[in-house]
């Protein structure tokens, strides 16, 4: 066993999933003397390492095989098992994306080690990687360790940490392994979801609508306002039932974590599952008819009153 | 078709509290219910049974109080229920839990499909399904939005990966974890509730299963909870805006520009 911290780099199509880069930066921050290693699975023609290198891992380990195009969770886990069992890292981090949360536990089962899902923070206490995750929704945090088995595995929620470029001498290792196709599964197709606009997690201004602002008139005004402010419209979970919104727009625990400079909440109560998604917003303004709505506790500015009335005034007065 | 649905009982509340003195979770007085997403998994199983025939078996690991949620699942229309209950199973993390579930699935025998909810609403790990898939060496479709039976042995599932929709074909047996978008769980009917009380809930302990004692309960769990706490958040200083919308917007815009 060595003392390295490994980060799995997720690649979607040709694009590096941003969380992977965020995790490289975070790993460097908490590493101390421990080397940070990026672990990449890619097809032979791809060159993800060139971009990953810019974020300054000490080492990059690449597994290349044409069959990584449309690989199944089981196939990816099998490939990772080969390199991890051989080189025995101390810790192994995954983005808590759908793919990360599907592959990591399969790998965990092969390695018979611990895995903590959806961490909000990690730090070292001696050799223990302390994994901090929320539980039972209600502002309860849990610190989990895996004292006796290595690697220590965790999936970490997207967009909690910032990716920062860093230049260093990075050693690149092309690891040779055998791709074992899984007989009983076939990935038939992967169709990119056309994201008409940018990702809400990267928007600078977010107009968020909840059940107290769920009518066509207000939604239309919100779209206009978002246009004027160069922002995007986000929603609490109940509004994803509307035709015009989807999971892409959802803010919160089972949706997106956002980090805008300005967030305006209309008719959102501020349930814990929503609130965890907005913790990184810089300025928060909330509009709610209920003076005791929990959302006000998470806000810099509070307007106790009607969503439509405030929205109309804002539309008029913003140029 | 033989379908096993793994379910978990969770507290029926968002407001589990921490005892400030002992730092333990206070769960008394909170009634247990079926994990929200697991109802979608039961619904998916019932729909497949309707289409292809067969049986739906509920499986859960936990204390005897879990019988109440198994009973609810039976009232939705499942055929039978098995509770894996033993002191020795206590304190299990995801690895040890999934191991015991896998051994139970092996004992049930000839299972075609194993369904899970996408994740639990309390611990929110979503990892028991994939571990079971690995233990049983079967393919998985996690976070599935839809599943369609092709024939007796094949299923096509769609899942939303981070920015793409993946279409996968699996040969059964397989593990599928179900997103709540897949369906609308049915309500329990009075008739089914009545019937559910006529069905026996089978209880298995380590004596009925071929489990390795080193892999169950706390002994088989690599992870340890070091600390549970309520974080003290640096709350925001909240400025209350005037009640007149126009005056409020004027003040807001002024302050934001500073
Ligand atoms: C496992 C799990 C995961 C979840 N994940 C998420 C998630 O990711 N994101 C999420 O959002 N939710 C999530 N939820 C649901 C969450 O618990 C809440 O139910 C949800 O956030 C409530 O949405 P809301 O605030 O829009 O609605 P409500 O709670 O119904 O609040 C509506 C608010 O509007 C106010 N209002 C009413 N009329 C007006 C008016 N005319 N003008 C102004 N205000 C008005 C009311 O006072 C109220 O405060 C999750 C739940 C679970 C169990």
């Amino acid at each position: 066993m060595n003392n390295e911290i490994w980060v799995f780099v997720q690649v979607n199509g040709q694009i590096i999933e941003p969380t992977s880069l965020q995790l490289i930066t975070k790993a460097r921050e908490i590493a101390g003397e421990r080397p940070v290693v990026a672990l990449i699975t890619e097809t032979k023609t791809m060159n993800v390492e060139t971009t990953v290198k810019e974020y300054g891992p000490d080492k990059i380990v690449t597994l290349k095989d044409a069959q990584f195009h449309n690989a199944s969770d089981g196939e990816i886990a099998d490939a990772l098992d080969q390199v991890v069992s051989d080189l025995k890292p101390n810790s192994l981090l995954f983005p808590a994306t759908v793919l990360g949360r599907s592959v990591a536990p399969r790998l965990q089962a092969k390695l018979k080690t611990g895995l903590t899902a959806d961490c909000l923070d990690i730090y070292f206490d001696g050799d223990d990687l302390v994994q901090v995750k929320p539980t039972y929704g209600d502002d309860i945090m849990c610190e989990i360790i895996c004292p006796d088995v290595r690697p220590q595995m965790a999936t970490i929620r997207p967009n909690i940490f910032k990716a920062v470029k860093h230049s260093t001498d990075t050693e690149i290792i092309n690891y040779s392994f055998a791709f074992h196709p899984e007989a009983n599964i076939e990935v038939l197709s992967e169709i990119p979801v056309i994201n008409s606009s940018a990702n809400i997690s990267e928007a600078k201004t977010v107009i968020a609508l909840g059940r107290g602002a769920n009518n066509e008139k207000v939604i239309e005004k919100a779209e206009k306002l978002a246009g004027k402010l160069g922002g995007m419209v986000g929603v609490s979970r109940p509004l994803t039932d509307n035709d015009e919104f989807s999971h892409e727009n959802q803010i919160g625990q089972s949706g997106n974590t956002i980090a805008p400079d300005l967030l305006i909440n209309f008719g959102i109560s501020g349930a814990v599952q929503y609130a965890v998604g907005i913790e990184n917003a810089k300025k928060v303004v909330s509009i709610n008819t209920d003076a005791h709505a929990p959302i006000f506790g998470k806000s810099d500015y509070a307007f106790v009153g009607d969503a439509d009335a405030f929205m109309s005034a804002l539309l008029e007065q913003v140029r | 078709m033989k379908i096993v649905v793994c379910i978990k009982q969770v507290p029926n509340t968002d407001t589990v509290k921490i005892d400030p003195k002992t730092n333990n979770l206070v769960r008394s007085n909170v009634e247990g219910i079926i994990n929200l997403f697991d109802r979608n998994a039961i619904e998916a199983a019932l729909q497949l049974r309707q289409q292809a025939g067969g049986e739906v078996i509920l499986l859960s690991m936990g204390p005897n109080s879990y019988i109440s949620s198994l009973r609810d699942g039976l009232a939705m229309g499942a055929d039978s229920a098995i509770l894996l209950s033993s002191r020795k199973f206590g304190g299990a993390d995801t690895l040890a839990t999934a191991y015991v579930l896998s051994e139970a699935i092996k004992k049930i025998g000839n299972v075609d499909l194993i369904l899970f909810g996408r994740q639990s609403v309390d611990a929110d790990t979503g990892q028991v399904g994939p571990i079971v898939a690995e233990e049983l060496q079967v393919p998985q479709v996690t976070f599935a939005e839809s599943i369609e039976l092709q024939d007796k042995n094949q299923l096509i599932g769609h899942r939303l990966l981070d920015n793409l929709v993946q279409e996968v074909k699996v040969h059964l047996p397989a593990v599928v974890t179900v997103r709540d978008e897949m369906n609308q769980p049915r309500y329990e009917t009075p008739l089914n509730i009545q019937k559910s009380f006529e069905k026996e809930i089978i209880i298995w302990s380590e004596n009925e299963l071929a489990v390795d004692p080193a892999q169950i309960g706390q002994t088989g769990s690599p992870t340890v909870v070091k600390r549970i706490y309520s974080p003290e958040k640096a709350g925001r200083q909240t400025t209350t805006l005037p009640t007149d919308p126009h005056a409020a917007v004027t003040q807001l815009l002024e302050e934001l520009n500073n």
Side-chain angles (χ1 to χ4, degrees), chain A residues 210-212 236-239 250-255 267-271 273-274 287-290 293 305-307, chain B residues 14 36-37 121:
Chain A
R211 272 221 294 241
S236 66
R237 194 167 78 173
L239 272 69
Q250 185 189 324
I251 298 164
Q253 182 185 321
S254 50
I268 289 176
S269 60
Q273 294 89 355
Y274 177 82
I287 293 87
N288 198 305
T289 42
D290 174 7
D306 180 53
Chain B
D14 280 349
L36 203 72
F37 298 116
V121 298

Side-chain angles (χ1 to χ4, degrees), chain B residues 135-155:
Chain B
E135 292 282 354
L136 299 175
Q137 289 292 301
V138 300
Q140 69 186 32
V141 185
T142 53
F143 297 90
E145 285 188 311
S146 71
I147 44 176
E148 282 154 50
L149 218 48
Q150 292 301 102
D151 53 53
K152 276 182 97 156
N153 307 312
Q154 285 186 79
L155 177 149

